[in-house]
Amino acid sequence: MNNNSYEKEKNKTLFLYLTIPILLTLLLVIYPLIRLFFYSLTDWNGISPSSNFLGLKNYIRVLWDMPEVWLSLKNNSIYFLGHLLFIPFEILIAYYLDKQIRLGGFYKTMVLLPYIINGVAVSYMFSFFFSPTNGAMNTLLATFFTGYEPIRWLSSPEIVNFTLTFVSIWRFAGFHIILFMAGVISIPRELFEAAQMDGAGDALVFRKIVLPNIMIIIEIVLFLNVRGALQVFDIPFVMTGGGPGFASSTFTILSIKTAFNFSSFGLASSMAVVLFFMIIFFSIIQNTILKRGQK
């Protein structure tokens, strides 16, 4: 086969391999994005075949005329900060699980178990756990503290988001730990052996060997944290419905209620577009900070 025939066959194979993924991307990603952006500029109610063009009015309303949007974003930030503060513990747990500890296999299975369970099931389980009347949490605290007054874990505006964030951490921390473990396992064993021969302690090994070699995993988990915090839905929706009032509402809950409860699909589409750009914006900031920290 001469060079020209080889190049033709190569290009033909590349074309066949790339055509289907490109078509699927155009059909399932690009086209819905274009339609979403189009609807965000209209007052479409989700049913009518026609709609009126509003320009940027929906975006102006989302950013300046809807205080519940900013309250929801404030609630989203509590999820983000909660998960962010727990990341060092997740890395430490992954580091020690990678070591040959007793019952290591059992602990590895247990940390992933909450992530495998359906989110709705987890939400219902913790709804009973934090119930103010006969919930296990209040019963447990009443056992240890005489005169204990039951806490309204899910109906008090001051603490409801912290309760929901705890449930979110419980569910997703195991998945993050498994990702960090994959990063720790990929570190050449020779580095650990050399550090051990030099008499380096766990703290020094963790700081000088583990952390620099799992930075890419940290970046991935941080991205998942940003995306997950801004898109959190099932836990607050099932456990509180976003209440009391808007106290535990998140941006996604508010968008879905705007679309389906108030039939304002145009406005909800503009909120989805804002969410899309917020995820990109915060991810860029996060990566910039990480890269500056590595220099």
Side-chain angles (χ1 to χ4, degrees):
M1 183 182 291
N2 58 38
N3 285 338
N4 287 336
S5 298
Y6 173 76
E7 285 297 324
K8 284 181 181 176
E9 283 299 318
K10 181 181 172 185
N11 292 335
K12 185 179 176 183
T13 305
L14 283 173
F15 177 78
L16 289 174
Y17 274 114
L18 291 175
T19 299
I20 294 176
I22 289 173
L23 286 176
L24 287 175
T25 303
L26 289 172
L27 182 66
L28 301 176
V29 179
I30 304 300
Y31 177 71
L33 270 177
I34 293 172
R35 294 295 295 178
L36 179 73
F37 183 71
F38 170 75
Y39 287 134
S40 73
L41 302 174
T42 70
D43 63 351
W44 188 50
N45 61 12
I47 299 174
S48 174
S50 62
S51 58
N52 298 312
F53 183 75
L54 299 178
L56 297 176
K57 285 183 180 176
N58 282 334
Y59 291 97
I60 294 171
R61 189 176 167 193
V62 168
L63 296 175
W64 280 280
D65 296 337
M66 294 178 67
E68 59 270 28
V69 166
W70 295 103
L71 177 60
S72 298
L73 287 174
K74 179 187 168 189
N75 296 337
N76 284 101
S77 70
I78 295 174
Y79 290 89
F80 173 76
L81 290 173
H83 281 279
L84 184 68
L85 293 174
F86 202 70
I87 284 177
F89 298 102
E90 293 170 348
I91 299 174
L92 271 175
I93 293 170
Y95 172 58
Y96 282 107
L97 282 179
D98 178 58
K99 302 176 93 172
Q100 298 301 317
I101 61 173
R102 192 178 177 188
L103 299 176
F106 170 75
Y107 293 131
K108 289 172 188 173
T109 304
M110 291 304 293
V111 296
L112 189 61
L113 195 59
Y115 182 71
I116 298 171
I117 302 173
N118 180 276
V120 175
V122 169
S123 304
Y124 274 117
M125 181 179 75
F126 275 101
S127 294
F128 291 116
F129 184 77
F130 286 112
S131 171
T133 52
N134 55 359
M137 188 66 179
N138 278 334
T139 304
L140 189 66
L141 291 173
T143 306
F144 292 101
F145 301 100
T146 306
Y148 171 77
E149 289 291 331
I151 296 175
R152 296 179 296 123
W153 298 101
L154 300 176
S155 56
S156 172
E158 290 78 19
I159 61 174
V160 62
N161 286 302
F162 298 102
T163 306
L164 298 175
T165 301
F166 168 80
V167 177
S168 179
I169 291 173
W170 184 88
R171 186 173 178 229
F172 291 103
F175 177 60
H176 296 167
I177 290 169
I178 294 299
L179 289 178
F180 287 129
M181 275 187 60
V184 175
I185 289 171
S186 69
I187 300 173
R189 298 292 103 176
E190 293 81 6
L191 292 177
F192 292 112
E193 292 167 4
Q196 190 177 18
M197 290 177 66
D198 291 340
D202 275 352
L204 191 61
V205 170
F206 185 77
R207 189 160 52 90
K208 295 292 185 182
I209 295 177
V210 175
L211 282 182
N213 284 284
I214 63 167
M215 284 308 295
I216 185 66
I217 305 295
I218 293 174
E219 287 182 25
I220 293 170
V221 171
L222 286 173
F223 171 75
L224 292 175
N225 188 18
V226 169
R227 196 206 63 172
L230 287 171
Q231 292 184 324
V232 62
F233 172 74
D234 51 358
I235 291 173
F237 185 77
V238 173
M239 294 183 69
T240 65
F246 288 98
S248 63
S249 179
T250 61
F251 196 78
T252 304
I253 289 179
L254 187 63
S255 302
I256 289 175
K257 282 186 175 179
T258 302
F260 293 98
N261 290 8
F262 307 114
S263 299
S264 297
F265 278 73
L267 182 62
S269 298
S270 66
M271 295 171 75
V273 173
V274 170
L275 178 65
F276 174 74
F277 283 107
M278 276 196 297
I279 291 174
I280 294 174
F281 175 72
F282 285 115
S283 297
I284 291 172
I285 289 180
Q286 196 168 257
N287 287 336
T288 304
I289 293 172
L290 278 175
K291 284 177 182 175
R292 284 184 182 176
Q294 291 173 24
K295 288 180 181 176

